[in-house]
Amino acid sequence: MIDAKKVGRPKKFKREDALAAALNVFWAKGYNGASMKDLTAAMKINGPSLYAEFGDKQTLYKLTIDEYAQNDACAPLVAFEGEDDIDKAVQAFMAAAIDYATLQNSGVKGCFLSSCVATTAGEVEGVEAKLQNAIIETDKRLANRFDLEITKGVLPANFPSLQRARLMFDLRQGHVFRARSGCDADEMKQDLEYRSKIVLQADATSA
């Protein structure tokens, strides 16, 4: 006997692909500008399937934030952590941020968190906490790498790891802002060596 409860219509979409499509819609149109019709068309599913798999629009939006924070937003961090030389690592972090902000296949520019999510913090329940957590976790990962360089003797013992991590993150957001305005990626990269020196300079206040 076939258990009817275990039999259902097979999914005609991959969850990851559907989330990526929804993310691009929110990114391009903003939370308020993205209609359910826009979302279902991009995700290639109907309304009932969307609600069954992802919940309502607000829940779907928060799922796309998690997806971005866990995957796409990590590209600069991966570049930073994968480079042995700390100066090259800082430059790789910023170069990856520029590339990601300017070379999106979907045509959107900048960073999903800064260009879309930040505008809904305080408006959509739960978004502010997710945004703050993404920033804090990024700061920690950057600072941990600086701490490692201190233990290796590459950076001085008084190097302000967390403060420089925050500076790096803020410089990244500046690159994203420029990218969103249409600034040339190659031109932005000409300043990376100089900016790396600023990030890695000794802490004069503690000398």
Side-chain angles (χ1 to χ4, degrees):
M1 180 177 179
I2 299 176
D3 188 346
K5 294 182 179 180
K6 295 183 179 180
V7 177
R9 296 177 64 185
K11 292 181 181 179
K12 295 182 179 180
F13 63 91
K14 291 184 178 179
R15 182 180 175 86
E16 297 79 6
D17 293 342
L19 277 176
L23 190 155
N24 284 331
V25 172
F26 285 128
W27 195 341
K29 297 193 173 187
Y31 176 74
N32 292 323
S35 67
M36 293 302 292
K37 183 177 180 180
D38 293 329
L39 292 165
T40 54
M43 298 166 75
K44 299 179 180 179
I45 59 176
N46 57 33
S49 293
L50 188 154
Y51 283 108
E53 183 72 20
F54 303 103
D56 59 13
K57 177 182 173 181
Q58 183 178 116
T59 302
L60 173 62
Y61 180 56
K62 288 188 282 189
L63 287 172
T64 64
I65 296 173
D66 291 337
E67 180 72 12
Y68 182 85
Q70 293 168 9
N71 296 300
D72 294 358
C74 289
L77 285 170
V78 171
F80 178 65
E81 294 168 342
E83 178 59 63
D84 292 333
D85 181 271
I86 189 60
D87 178 54
K88 292 180 180 178
V90 172
Q91 293 188 51
F93 173 85
M94 292 186 282
I98 292 170
D99 286 341
Y100 189 82
T102 56
L103 300 176
Q104 284 291 333
N105 292 329
S106 63
V108 292
K109 293 181 179 181
C111 167
F112 180 54
L113 296 181
S114 61
S115 62
C116 178
V117 177
T119 66
T120 59
E123 175 186 345
V124 180
E125 183 180 357
V127 168
E128 184 175 281
K130 286 182 178 294
L131 185 60
Q132 289 181 6
N133 184 67
I135 294 171
I136 290 170
E137 289 304 311
T138 299
D139 288 344
K140 286 181 180 178
R141 284 181 66 175
L142 294 171
N144 286 342
R145 173 62 190 278
F146 290 139
D147 287 340
L148 176 61
E149 297 299 324
I150 292 174
T151 63
K152 290 161 57 178
V154 176
L155 293 175
N158 66 348
F159 187 82
S161 296
L162 183 57
Q163 289 83 354
R164 296 302 169 79
R166 290 169 177 164
L167 174 60
M168 268 186 70
F169 183 88
D170 293 345
L171 286 172
R172 173 186 183 274
Q173 294 309 104
H175 287 133
V176 167
F177 183 76
R178 289 177 181 274
R180 192 166 176 79
S181 74
C183 289
D184 182 73
D186 291 334
E187 185 174 329
M188 284 191 284
K189 288 179 181 179
Q190 292 176 8
D191 293 335
L192 295 189
E193 184 176 354
Y194 175 78
R195 295 189 176 199
S196 177
K197 289 180 180 178
I198 294 175
V199 171
L200 297 174
Q201 67 183 343
D203 183 18
T205 61
S206 301

